[in-house]
Amino acid sequence: MTTGGSEIEHGYPHIDTVRSAVTALFKRLSYDTVSTFATSVLPVDVAFDDTEDLHLGAQRIARALVRQLHLPDARMVVTFREMEHAANVELTAGPEYFIELNDRFRKHRKDIGAALAHEVMHVYLHRLDLSFPGTRDNEILTDTATTYLGTGWLLLDAYREHGPFSQKLGYLTPEEFGYVLAKRAEFFGEDPGPWFTSPQAYDAYTAGVERARQDARRPPLAAAGWAARLRYAKDRRTAQDPRRSQRPAGPGDGYVFEGPSPLRVSFPCPACHQRIRVPVRGRLQARCGLCKTLLDCDT
């Protein structure tokens, strides 16, 4: 996990992998299991001040994260040492797991919860046997799952920029953390805004909210803007032309027309990004089979 000291990347360079991670999470856990994470870990459960014993406090926070992820038989042993990265966990058969935190967290206790959240999620995904190939993509999966299952707001809140000092934990950009957090907030009806202590983290969250809203404004969803609707209508007419053997896809909108007659259109669910296929026949409602989201469409 990255720490401070280097230039912080912004924007959405990993968004395709992030979306794939949300889909993979729903596929591996199911809608029913994901729904059990409707409440995030609360700030009071991971607060850490200078009056509390360092090791006892770290163990307390680790237990809170274990409870959040429904891992009652997992025990986290937290230690501190000098190291290049922010944290590391030894993935074994369990039930005991050893987490090492960078020595700098001795003086930056408020970020211990963020560092532990990422490492405890590694344990959770290890037990699920859910991973992506390659270190980079697997770490993005870990950050995405941490955020979507209710502990990753801590990682975003650890993002701060004050003049020459900058810090970010995790592999997602601040805006990507905000994007996943916005997806979670929409799905569960939860508002994480009041929990942020970092102004920069809150700004990244609001940016992520706007990017997440764009997913719900892409055709054939009924909420799509007029310009996108015009493009969609043009592509639909082209797709209905019997002289064409290939069906056009929307430029950046993700929909694809499929034939032969009756013509259908497939598009990513704005909530979980699983592809949905519906007939091209005007206004209709479609329910995602993976995350159960009901969608108003104009096909």
Side-chain angles (χ1 to χ4, degrees), residues 1-35:
M1 190 160 42
T2 58
T3 62
S6 59
E7 186 175 348
I8 293 175
E9 187 175 23
H10 287 276
Y12 303 90
H14 316 111
I15 196 165
D16 289 340
T17 307
V18 166
R19 289 168 173 164
S20 296
V22 174
T23 306
L25 203 59
F26 271 95
K27 284 184 175 180
R28 183 65 181 86
L29 291 179
S30 81
Y31 164 81
D32 290 337
T33 301
V34 171
S35 296

Side-chain angles (χ1 to χ4, degrees), residues 92-296:
T92 62
E96 199 165 67
Y97 300 88
F98 293 88
I99 297 177
E100 296 175 319
L101 298 183
N102 193 302
D103 255 345
R104 75 184 189 89
F105 289 113
R106 292 177 181 271
K107 295 183 178 180
H108 298 277
R109 296 185 175 194
K110 68 173 296 183
D111 297 327
I112 285 178
L116 287 175
H118 182 93
E119 303 308 320
V120 174
M121 181 54 68
H122 269 304
V123 173
Y124 184 81
L125 295 177
H126 174 69
R127 288 190 168 196
L128 280 181
D129 193 26
L130 176 59
S131 63
F132 279 179
T135 299
R136 170 189 170 276
D137 286 0
N138 199 54
E139 293 291 355
I140 291 171
L141 167 65
T142 302
D143 277 343
T144 302
T146 305
T147 306
Y148 206 89
L149 297 186
T151 60
W153 68 267
L154 290 162
L155 284 159
L156 179 53
D157 197 39
Y159 160 56
R160 291 183 288 277
E161 289 192 68
H162 301 293
F165 174 78
S166 64
Q167 171 185 278
K168 182 184 74 70
L169 299 181
Y171 289 76
L172 300 184
T173 68
E175 292 79 14
E176 287 169 340
F177 273 119
Y179 173 82
V180 181
L181 198 55
K183 292 287 186 178
R184 172 184 167 80
E186 176 67 22
F187 190 77
F188 291 112
E190 182 182 66
D191 179 14
W195 301 339
F196 291 113
T197 62
S198 164
Q200 293 88 1
Y202 183 80
D203 289 344
Y205 169 61
T206 58
V209 168
E210 182 53 38
R211 183 60 182 260
R213 286 174 178 166
Q214 292 177 18
D215 291 347
R217 298 170 181 159
R218 299 192 297 182
L221 297 172
W226 67 271
R229 295 294 312 166
L230 287 175
R231 289 197 307 271
Y232 178 85
K234 179 181 178 181
D235 291 336
R236 182 178 57 200
R237 288 193 299 270
T238 303
Q240 291 170 328
D241 186 342
R243 295 170 296 181
R244 288 189 61 90
S245 59
Q246 293 183 337
R247 306 303 185 187
D253 284 319
Y255 58 82
V256 178
F257 290 101
E258 302 173 357
S261 181
L263 190 66
R264 295 174 297 176
V265 61
S266 69
F267 61 97
C269 170
C272 72
H273 309 289
Q274 170 81 339
R275 293 199 72 83
I276 299 172
R277 182 179 291 104
V278 296
V280 176
R281 65 181 188 201
R283 293 298 292 258
L284 57 85
Q285 285 189 323
R287 188 178 296 278
C288 177
L290 188 59
C291 72
K292 312 302 182 186
T293 300
L294 186 63
L295 303 169
D296 290 319

Side-chain angles (χ1 to χ4, degrees), residues 46-68:
V46 290
F48 199 160
D49 61 37
D50 293 335
T51 64
E52 188 172 6
D53 179 85
L54 176 67
H55 291 88
L56 293 179
Q59 294 293 152
R60 174 183 58 78
I61 292 173
R63 287 193 298 270
L65 297 170
V66 165
R67 288 194 302 271
Q68 170 68 24

